[in-house]
Amino acid sequence: MRTVILPAIVSVLAIPIGVCAQDLRSDIAQDYDSYLAPLFEHFHRNPELSTVEFETAARMATELRDAGFEVTENVGGLGLVAIMENGDGPRVMMRADMDGLPVEEQSGLPYASTATQRDPITGAVVPVMHACGHDVHITSLVGTARQMAKRRDQWRGTLMLVVQPAEERGLGARAMREDGLWERFGQPDYALGFHVNAATEAGKLNVQETALYAGVDSVDIVVHGIGSHGANPHQGKDPIVLASQIVLALQTLVSRELGPREPGVVTVGSFHAGTKHNIISDEARLQLTVRNTNPETRELLLNGIRRIAENMGRAAGLPEHLLPEVSVLEEWTPPLINDAPLARRLKAAWGDLMGESTIVDEPPTGMGGEDFPFFTIDPDIRSLFWRVGGTPAEDFEREEQGGAPVASHHSPLFKIVPEPAVRAGVESTVLAMLELMQH
Ligand SMILES: [Zn+2]
Ligand SMILES: [Zn+2]
C-alpha cells in the first residue's frame, strides 16, 4: 500500500505507507534545534584520537541506549553495536566513525576544540581536532536512532547501528569484523554509511554508482648498498643513486603499464638515507602509498613495484642477497565500490523526498581511502556509501572571487556547517532505512 496520491504532492509517490515527508523533515529540523545542535558542539569541542575514543564511545553508548537501542560496547576495541529489532524484515546496518585527528584547530568557531590528548603512537601530548567531520557522522547517527525509534510503526526488520573507532588509521572496521561482528550480531542485508564532504555544498547529497574511494596499500622498500668513502664511490654501491633510479622507474607503472583509463597511484612519500656529506651509506629507505579501484590494478602495481625494485638492484650490480627488499604492510584497505542498483534506488527515493536539486553528481577527483569496505567484502554485502555536503555556497563563491579557499579535510581551518549537514545526514539515513525496511 502506498500513500494516497494527490496531484499537488506528486513528490510523495515513493514514500512508504504512513510517512509524510514534510512531517519527517520538520521533525528532524526540530530535533536538530533542540537536541542535536548542542550534541554536535559537545562532540566538536571534545575530539579524541584513533583507538582512544573513550569518552566519545561512552557518550554514544548512552545516547543510543536512551534512544531505545540495545547497545554492546567494546566491540573491536572501542566500537559499539546498537540493535533495534522490529519484526520480520531486512537487517540494515549504518556505520558512523568517531575519531578525531592530531591537528590544532584554527577554524575560529566559538566551539572550536582546545583539547589535547596523549598520542597512543608517539606518547607525546598533542592537540586534537575533529578535522575530518566524524562529529557530523556520530551526531547524525544519534538523530537517526531517535527518529527510527519514534517511527517503529513505519518499518519492519532489524536496525544495526555501528559506531566505529580508528577510521583514520584504517584499523577500526577490520577490528570490529575480527571481533565477530556478523557472528555475534547478525550479518546485515544492507550496509550504509556516509562521509560529510567539505568540497560539496552544504545539505547536498553526492551519490556515486561505482568506486567512491580507492583501495590503499602501504609499501616499504629497503634499498641496500655497500658503504664507502664519498671520495671513492667506485669502492661501494651507492643506495641513494639506486633508490633514486627506483623512484623514477616506478613512475612508469601508472604511465606505461596500467591501462590509460584505469585509475592508479604510486606515490613515494618518504625517502631517507645517509648520515653525512662524505659517506656513501649502505641503506636507503622508501615508503610508498599505492592506490587502486580494483584487485587487478592492485596486483599489477604491487607486482610491478617488486619487479622494478629488485631488477634495478640487479642492474646496479648488487649481489642477490643485497637486492632491494619490498614489503607490503598488513594495514591496507580495499576500494569502496557501491552497489549500483542500490545507489539508483536510494538516489530516486532521496530525489523524491528531499527534492531533485538535493542530489549532485560530483565524481571523486582523488584516490582517497576509507576502511568502510571491510564491512562489505568477504562476504559481499550490498552497500551504499554517500557524501553529504558541508560547506555553505557563499564560501565557494568567495573562493571563486579570489578570496580564502575552502579548507580541506584534515586542515586546521576545516569547518563544516552542522546545519544543514547534520540534518541532511539524518534525513538521508532515515529515508534510506524507511525505503529499505518499508512494510
Ligand atoms: Zn579523514
Ligand atoms: Zn574521515
Side-chain angles (χ1 to χ4, degrees):
M1 246 183 87
R2 298 264 169 174
T3 311
V4 176
I5 304 163
L6 301 172
I9 46 165
V10 201
S11 66
V12 298
L13 250 174
I15 305 170
I17 183 169
V19 181
C20 169
Q22 272 330 61
D23 283 0
L24 176 66
R25 299 188 73 187
S26 69
D27 241 24
I28 293 173
Q30 269 176 28
D31 197 44
Y32 178 82
D33 290 340
S34 62
Y35 197 85
L36 300 177
L39 184 64
F40 173 80
E41 292 191 11
H42 166 80
F43 284 134
H44 192 84
R45 274 182 214 273
N46 298 287
E48 294 176 290
L49 294 171
S50 308
T51 72
V52 286
E53 308 96 329
F54 297 106
E55 301 299 328
T56 311
R59 179 67 183 261
M60 284 301 289
T62 305
E63 292 291 339
L64 296 173
R65 264 185 205 121
D66 287 353
F69 283 72
E70 191 179 312
V71 177
T72 305
E73 295 174 71
N74 303 315
V75 181
L78 292 172
L80 303 180
V81 179
I83 300 280
M84 182 174 283
E85 288 176 347
N86 191 26
D88 288 339
R91 179 176 290 267
V92 178
M93 175 199 136
M94 176 71 194
R95 173 270 219 166
D97 46 4
M98 62 174 161
D99 47 339
L101 286 157
V103 173
E104 188 168 4
E105 181 156 1
Q106 293 165 29
S107 66
L109 289 167
Y111 53 88
S113 163
T114 55
T116 59
Q117 198 175 16
R118 191 170 295 281
D119 187 321
I121 304 174
T122 65
V125 174
V126 294
V128 190
M129 172 184 177
H130 265 300
C132 202
H134 299 182
D135 45 358
V136 173
H137 307 167
I138 46 180
T139 310
S140 297
L141 194 73
V142 172
T144 294
R146 289 162 61 84
Q147 291 299 325
M148 293 304 286
K150 202 167 134 182
R151 296 167 183 279
R152 260 177 277 208
D153 59 329
Q154 293 168 15
W155 57 276
R156 285 285 174 271
T158 301
L159 271 181
M160 184 175 182
L161 308 182
V162 168
V163 185
Q164 185 208 303
E167 189 281 330
E168 293 289 356
R169 289 180 57 197
L171 301 174
R174 192 153 64 152
M176 292 189 79
R177 280 294 307 279
E178 285 170 358
D179 200 6
L181 187 59
W182 298 164
E183 296 77 8
R184 292 165 64 190
F185 303 98
Q187 182 182 315
D189 300 296
Y190 299 95
L192 306 174
F194 77 80
H195 207 300
V196 71
N197 187 19
T200 299
E201 189 184 326
K204 305 280 185 191
L205 307 181
N206 180 4
V207 190
Q208 297 296 315
E209 291 181 20
T210 54
L212 181 60
Y213 290 96
V216 182
D217 283 285
S218 299
V219 175
D220 286 350
I221 305 180
V222 180
V223 180
H224 300 290
I226 297 173
S228 69
H229 196 294
N232 301 318
H234 60 294
Q235 291 173 346
K237 291 285 181 200
D238 188 341
I240 293 182
V241 172
L242 173 53
S244 303
Q245 290 174 324
I246 291 172
V247 171
L248 291 179
L250 291 176
Q251 309 308 311
T252 62
L253 278 171
V254 171
S255 69
R256 306 289 83 176
E257 292 192 39
L258 191 62
R261 287 170 183 268
E262 272 302 313
V265 172
V266 177
T267 291
V268 180
S270 156
F271 186 143
H272 286 264
T275 52
K276 197 176 183 305
H277 306 71
N278 59 358
I279 297 174
I280 290 177
S281 85
D282 60 2
E283 191 179 273
R285 285 175 175 267
L286 304 176
Q287 294 183 319
L288 285 65
T289 186
V290 184
R291 304 195 172 214
N292 66 79
T293 56
N294 59 54
E296 294 75 29
T297 299
R298 179 176 191 234
E299 199 180 317
L300 183 147
L301 295 179
L302 294 179
N303 288 344
I305 289 166
R306 196 178 297 280
R307 188 193 73 233
I308 285 174
E310 289 177 1
N311 284 299
M312 295 298 287
R314 288 195 179 95
L318 280 173
E320 288 291 311
H321 72 279
L322 285 182
L323 292 182
E325 288 174 57
V326 177
S327 36
V328 180
L329 304 196
E330 266 188 45
E331 284 181 18
W332 73 292
T333 51
L336 189 155
I337 314 281
N338 280 329
D339 181 81
L342 180 62
R344 285 192 287 272
R345 180 175 172 192
L346 294 186
K347 203 158 45 165
W350 288 328
D352 282 344
L353 294 158
M354 297 170 74
E356 292 298 335
S357 64
T358 305
I359 316 286
V360 293
D361 183 23
E362 295 169 358
T365 52
M367 291 282 275
E370 240 297 337
D371 74 355
F372 179 75
F374 280 113
F375 292 116
T376 67
I377 59 163
D378 192 23
D380 282 345
I381 287 167
R382 272 183 288 181
S383 64
L384 185 70
F385 194 91
W386 65 100
R387 283 172 162 174
V388 175
T391 299
E394 50 269 29
D395 287 15
F396 293 111
E397 281 158 28
R398 185 198 61 213
E399 180 178 17
E400 257 170 43
Q401 287 156 10
V406 171
S408 69
H409 290 249
H410 295 202
S411 152
L413 303 173
F414 177 76
K415 188 161 42 174
I416 287 295
V417 279
E419 163 59 24
V422 168
R423 183 166 51 74
V426 179
E427 280 179 14
S428 54
T429 311
V430 169
L431 290 170
M433 287 170 167
L434 293 178
E435 167 69 21
L436 297 172
M437 304 174 95
Q438 58 187 292
H439 68 107

